[in-house]
Amino acid sequence: MRWVFRILGALVATVMVLVALVFMLPGEKVAGLAADQIEAQTGRRLTFHGDVRFTIWPILGVKSEAVTLSNADWAGPEPMLTAERLSIGISASDLLLGRVRVTEVSALLPHLNLSEREGGLGNWVLQGGGAAASAGGGGQPQTQQADIPAVSIEKLTLAGASVRYRPHQGKPIELSAMDLVLNWPDPSGTVNVDLNFLPLGAPMRVQAEVGTFASFLSGNVASVGATVSADGGMLRFDGRADLTGAATGRVTAKATNTSAFLAAFGQAGITLPRGLGQALSLGADATYTIDGRLALRDMALDLDGNQLQGALDLTLAEVPQFTAQLNGTHLQVPGLLPAAPGGGSGAPSGGAAASSAGWSKEAIDAAALGLANGTAVLSFQSLKAAGYELGASKLSLTLDRARGVLKLQPAALFDGLVQGQVVANNRNGFSTGGKLSFSSIRLEKALSQVAGYDRMNGEALGELEFLASGNTVDALMHSLSGKGWLEVNKGFFSGFDLEGLMRSGKGNGGSTVFDQLTGSYDITQGNLQNDDLLLTLKGLRAEGAGRIGLGTRDIDYLFSPTIAGVNGGNGLTIPVSITGPWADPKIRPDLKNALQPQIDEVEAEAKERLREKLSEELETEIAPEQDLNEVIRDRIEQEAKDQLQRLLLGD
């Protein structure tokens, strides 16, 4: 807003001085002499490139073709003002009394070349000649008023005007195709302004009322009401302001098409999902200071029906700085859709969902992390967005040089609570990480939405630390590392029946209900390794170990369930191998290894009976550790030696 006020003030001040200078001309014959006198008094050269003539009927006034007013020495060689035609109407009765009351000023295709220097001095401030003019920028400007009659303007009309405004610091602002109508019937009263222009290629209209306008032009604070209208919306300010742009008052805004409205302010190409402000309304108490700080208090915001209240502090700079505190009730963002399988056309960029073929390889656009720096805190009773449903939660987002930290303080998610933080870093390539603790989480919801796995059900608590890098979801999942632990009380696996497997050897289909599940894990290069899974069921106990491919979306895991033995005896253990892709894992019992203990027991019992029989037959004690084959071989050798000895000795 600052540049709008300064341009408007400079425009009016320049026209007023120009009118006064033109009325010093006694006629065309002495125009050159008068121009010399004007230059001596103001330090500027007024040049008429066409006829200067007076009109009596129908309006008393002056018309001039092709007018040029030179610039300040420090502002460059280009003229400060040029106009193809200038027409001025005056009040004859006031002129007879020595006053100049301008009833109307109109200019065709005027162009103002406005600039500021250090200290805020504008080139539209006309200094006297001589020593004062040669002093340059030192000290305060000394406007020569003695020989210039007081001027008031009732109506100012500019057609096809253009402005180039160069502040002392910051980028130049250029406006073209401006049509301005300014009504100022009372010199000590209110001015009404109607301005149509194309600030950034899209049409915009400003309608404003400024009280005590003369005082406002002198740099004092005045009451201001202004409405800015553009395609898709409007913005209204009612309060007090001065020429520097400092202002305080009430701001209201309403947009039926926010994207189109933002385009008029140079923010083209912004597409907001439904629920985040495709249509919006805003009301807030606003304070703006000349160093670019905007404070909004008592703010009420409606984003497509989502009601928010709170406060915002914003510092306008190349990279804006912000602090926000917002509170909402029941929020919905239906336009923020979950990613389509495989990152197809229906998915937002970098969607997390994937088909059985793998994770999305669509590039993640994280440029938004570098658009601003600051912290925003959002509290709400519920939120539905991107396929997720959150209950009463408090979220804090901090952005710092393309690094975002989302803190969950806590968040009600998957019917449980999640606390901790998630980090997204786009400073040198994209990476993400976090440390979370959770309780009462419904695993069927969490695993289905986060990892596309819906075969495990139950209420979980645990912790998770993770880190990943890459510019696609596929790269992130393959680079994933971390650790954590999990505990689930009462749940079930779908897809296989462990009890049926143990009893009949057929376990595909059905479900496995368990009383408790515990385990810890480490993640390296997208592979989750678990070696201490413990699963307890009614009459069963299962241990597990193996690999779960988070990047490759496959599994290679071995369950070892054991059926409790009768009367405290040893139970039957049947290892279960689970291998293959998540979408269609193969579940196979290892019956050979399952029966091996029983086979070993039968073999041991048979060997013991054989040992006892041989001991009886051979009339010698055979120790359990002795090899029966060696005992029999030794006995045969001994018998052969004895028989040979009898034969040789003739016994």
Side-chain angles (χ1 to χ4, degrees), residues 61-118:
V62 176
K63 288 185 178 181
S64 175
E65 303 288 338
V67 178
T68 299
L69 182 65
S70 67
N71 215 331
D73 294 339
W74 53 265
E78 296 181 2
M80 187 187 77
L81 171 69
T82 60
E84 292 296 320
R85 182 183 304 134
L86 182 67
S87 300
I88 303 172
I90 64 172
S91 168
S93 59
D94 283 90
L95 188 61
L96 292 175
L97 297 176
R99 296 192 300 265
V100 179
R101 182 167 65 87
V102 179
T103 58
E104 182 175 357
V105 174
S106 63
L108 177 64
L109 300 179
H111 174 73
L112 283 117
N113 182 27
L114 306 177
S115 59
E116 285 181 334
R117 67 186 306 179
E118 186 177 2

Side-chain angles (χ1 to χ4, degrees), residues 235-276:
L235 176 68
R236 175 73 186 177
F237 173 78
D238 291 282
R240 296 176 64 80
D242 62 25
L243 272 177
T244 66
T248 181
R250 187 71 179 174
V251 171
T252 57
K254 185 176 181 62
T256 56
N257 186 337
T258 305
S259 296
F261 191 55
L262 291 176
F265 291 87
Q267 304 299 317
I270 296 178
T271 302
L272 298 172
R274 189 161 60 92
L276 291 182

